Amino acid sequence: MRINSPKLNIMYKACMKAAKFLIRDFGEVENLQVSSKGPGDFVSSADTRTEKIIIEEILRAYPDHGILSEEAGNINQKNKTNRWIIDPIDGTSNFLNAIPQFAISIGYEENNQIKNGLIYDPIKNELFFAETGNGAFLNNSRIRVSKKKNLRNSLLGTGGPRSGSKIKNEIFHEFVEISKNVEIPIRKYGSASLDMASVACGRFDGFWQRELNYWDIAAGTIIVKEAGGYVDFLDREVDESKKRNLVATNSLIHKELLDIINKKNIEKN
Ligand code: IPD
Ligand code: CA
Ligand code: CA
């Protein structure tokens, strides 16, 4: 593995330690205790343990760094310079239903700029990672976005809407409009981080989704950018970490996809 950055090293170590348990738990998925966290969202014991292991590893190396993690929330919030963003299991519903499409996602930002990202699919043993200026990798190989130029021939992914979404109809409407412009049916795999990783390595030509959380996509944004792709948000919000509505593509189909989305502009935030 060509990881020679201190931040990526920590991510890698933390992730591999947590993944051992996660793989075991996936095999025993029926036995996991699941408690309801809200509509369409569940937290499992595997989720919290994965998170705990990752947080411990990060804080061992950098005790004063900030952390934003899906289940634990904010840690060391007064540190405004260094922050780690963690989604311990992205694709929880897949995990809990024994569908092998989920990942650990860890991003690291400095002064609100994402610098490093790592997404690990423990079942396929696929490790996606990137650091600003150094390209994006899948295991030992450099990855690049696809070269597809036309939306019509593109393979797109999306996700949502959440069960409690207030813009469900608009999201479905947008889906219908985009689907009229592509020949291959749109994919919906249930793990936003892996959807972004798929754009980065050229499996998908583009991915868009509304109502995401920062931990779903923090690592993915740098991996897609470093793979030569384009990451864009539909929100007017200035702070990138508060943006929820994402479009990530190989850059060549970006305008075409965005034009359709903008024509059906459903949310003015
Ligand atoms: C979810 C997944 C899913 C996306 C949802 C996310 P979780 O994350 O990324 O693909 O459609 O919006 O909340 O809850 O499995 O960590
Ligand atoms: Ca997630
Ligand atoms: Ca999660």
Side-chain angles (χ1 to χ4, degrees):
M1 212 69 58
R2 296 193 215 173
I3 298 184
N4 34 33
S5 124
K7 302 295 183 314
L8 281 173
N9 254 317
I10 299 291
M11 289 178 182
Y12 178 70
K13 233 174 103 186
C15 188
M16 290 304 148
K17 198 167 173 186
K20 261 195 256 159
F21 294 98
L22 207 49
I23 292 166
R24 193 197 62 192
D25 285 343
F26 186 64
E28 294 171 14
V29 84
E30 309 71 17
N31 303 328
L32 286 174
Q33 286 177 341
V34 181
S35 64
S36 178
K37 201 182 73 169
D41 213 345
F42 296 92
V43 60
S44 66
S45 56
D47 228 344
T48 41
R49 191 186 42 232
T50 305
E51 182 177 65
K52 188 167 173 280
I53 293 170
I54 296 168
I55 291 175
E56 272 170 13
E57 285 297 315
I58 294 170
L59 290 180
R60 185 173 303 143
Y62 300 104
D64 65 333
H65 277 196
I67 293 178
L68 168 67
S69 190
E70 182 176 10
E71 314 300 339
N74 283 299
I75 296 169
N76 288 339
Q77 219 171 340
K78 60 185 180 306
N79 186 337
K80 305 283 180 219
T81 313
N82 319 89
R83 188 164 70 146
W84 301 71
I85 298 101
I86 306 165
D87 192 340
I89 304 179
D90 182 52
T92 322
S93 304
N94 285 341
F95 181 85
L96 291 174
N97 287 283
I99 297 168
Q101 178 75 2
F102 57 90
I104 296 173
S105 174
I106 313 174
Y108 170 73
E109 61 176 24
E110 263 170 28
N111 300 311
N112 304 317
Q113 295 283 319
I114 288 280
K115 299 283 184 196
N116 305 83
L118 179 147
I119 297 169
Y120 183 54
D121 174 339
I123 303 302
K124 298 187 205 74
N125 192 24
E126 288 189 328
L127 181 76
F128 299 85
F129 60 95
E131 180 173 45
T132 311
N134 287 332
F137 294 81
L138 163 51
N139 295 338
N140 290 314
S141 310
R142 182 88 191 250
I143 48 172
R144 299 284 307 167
V145 291
S146 75
K147 293 191 165 61
K148 215 82 76 65
K149 287 196 178 79
N150 303 315
L151 190 62
R152 184 141 297 279
N153 308 320
S154 293
L155 179 59
L156 302 180
T158 190
R162 300 170 172 282
S163 65
S165 172
K166 296 202 170 71
I167 54 163
K168 245 184 192 175
N169 290 342
E170 292 89 336
I171 287 174
F172 283 126
H173 184 58
E174 191 169 78
F175 183 94
V176 170
E177 290 306 308
I178 293 170
S179 73
K180 286 179 193 163
N181 289 274
V182 288
E183 261 157 29
I184 312 168
I186 297 163
R187 265 47 177 172
K188 203 162 165 292
Y189 287 151
S191 168
S193 62
L194 288 180
D195 290 334
M196 298 215 33
S198 296
V199 173
C201 70
R203 292 174 188 163
F204 282 177
D205 306 299
F207 166 68
W208 91 99
Q209 188 177 337
R210 292 187 183 263
E211 301 182 321
L212 286 159
N213 287 302
Y214 193 40
W215 46 78
D216 299 322
I217 50 170
T221 54
I222 186 70
I223 297 173
V224 170
K225 284 179 191 169
E226 286 296 321
Y230 195 66
V231 179
D232 206 3
F233 292 90
L234 305 164
D235 318 59
R236 299 231 173 97
E237 174 66 58
V238 196
D239 181 349
E240 191 137 306
S241 71
K242 298 205 171 77
K243 294 180 177 181
R244 297 280 169 264
N245 306 309
L246 172 124
V247 184
T249 68
N250 67 0
S251 86
L252 301 169
I253 61 158
H254 204 85
K255 186 176 178 309
E256 240 189 305
L257 178 58
L258 213 55
D259 283 351
I260 300 167
I261 293 171
N262 284 336
K263 229 194 301 172
K264 301 283 147 210
N265 200 351
I266 61 171
E267 204 187 24
K268 310 241 183 300
N269 57 349

